[in-house]
Amino acid sequence: MNKYLKDEVSKMPKEILVEYADFLDKSFWTHQGHWMLNINNRYGTEAAAEFDELVFGRSAEVQVHRLKKLFGLGDAIADLIRALTLTTVWSNVDYVWLDVSEKTARLRITHCIMQKNRLELGLPELPCKKTGFKANELAARVINPKIKTTCIVCPPDQHEEDRWCEWLFELEV
């Protein structure tokens, strides 16, 4: 963060900081959405999915690495949940954590705005299973290499309207 931005942010009251974080998150997803749409329009859905996997997985890995350092996160499933909550990886979707224990957690995406937007534009669902797997696997590996990531469902798989994708994280002993 440059000096001028740091100075401005340090003056903000908590309520404005929360709104500013929301602004940054929305700005990230606006950028991501336009980037993906332009890749899709120029090179097709398969290329868009391929580039998304390459970029998004690495982004998730770097974000979790930085968050682990910033917040002193450990290697537990609870630390993975906190890290994924604080990243931009799932910040633009509605989700729930299910079956959370010391050894497992399931992440279910109940509303995916990116996929909904694609459908409204007349585009097919983006086959994002490889992207989601890469992002979740690399994020989990940063927290603890013993956390195994499994995709339960994700496009191009058939899914329910309120379950766009679902991921299982298991701590192997």
Side-chain angles (χ1 to χ4, degrees):
M1 180 182 302
N2 73 45
K3 174 195 178 317
Y4 299 107
L5 180 56
K6 197 174 230 176
D7 288 347
E8 284 295 320
V9 170
S10 68
K11 297 175 196 171
M12 293 179 188
K14 182 180 177 180
E15 302 81 41
I16 299 298
L17 279 172
V18 170
E19 289 183 37
Y20 184 61
D22 184 56
F23 162 82
L24 291 174
D25 184 62
K26 286 177 180 168
S27 296
F28 169 82
W29 281 106
T30 298
H31 177 89
Q32 168 73 2
H34 285 282
W35 183 85
M36 285 295 296
L37 187 58
N38 283 293
I39 294 290
N40 190 97
N41 289 342
R42 177 154 305 171
Y43 303 107
T45 301
E46 281 186 43
E50 181 182 342
F51 281 105
D52 199 34
E53 177 188 357
L54 293 169
V55 173
F56 213 63
R58 183 72 174 127
S59 176
E61 181 181 35
V62 170
Q63 286 183 56
V64 171
H65 176 75
R66 290 174 178 161
L67 288 165
K68 187 172 184 176
K69 183 177 175 183
L70 178 65
F71 293 105
L73 300 176
D75 62 358
I77 291 288
D79 295 301
L80 176 62
I81 291 171
R82 185 165 186 217
L84 286 174
T85 299
L86 291 169
T87 66
T88 60
V89 173
W90 298 113
S91 64
N92 70 327
V93 298
D94 294 332
Y95 61 86
V96 293
W97 286 100
L98 304 166
D99 302 328
V100 175
S101 72
E102 289 184 13
K103 298 200 186 277
T104 65
R106 276 189 306 129
L107 172 64
R108 177 179 293 169
I109 308 309
T110 58
H111 178 81
C112 183
I113 193 165
M114 185 269 304
Q115 294 285 22
K116 293 270 191 172
N117 287 344
R118 287 180 63 83
L119 294 174
E120 287 175 12
L121 291 170
L123 297 170
E125 288 181 6
L126 186 73
C128 55
K129 182 185 249 181
K130 289 181 181 180
T131 299
F133 184 78
K134 180 72 84 176
N136 285 318
E137 179 186 45
L138 293 176
R141 191 181 302 158
V142 169
I143 293 297
N144 186 336
K146 293 180 181 176
I147 296 176
K148 178 184 173 193
T149 303
T150 304
C151 177
I152 297 170
V153 65
C154 188
D157 300 339
Q158 292 294 318
H159 59 85
E160 295 89 8
E161 181 67 21
D162 63 346
R163 184 172 83 147
W164 284 88
C165 60
E166 189 164 306
W167 307 92
L168 175 65
F169 301 97
E170 298 173 283
L171 182 58
E172 297 178 329
V173 199

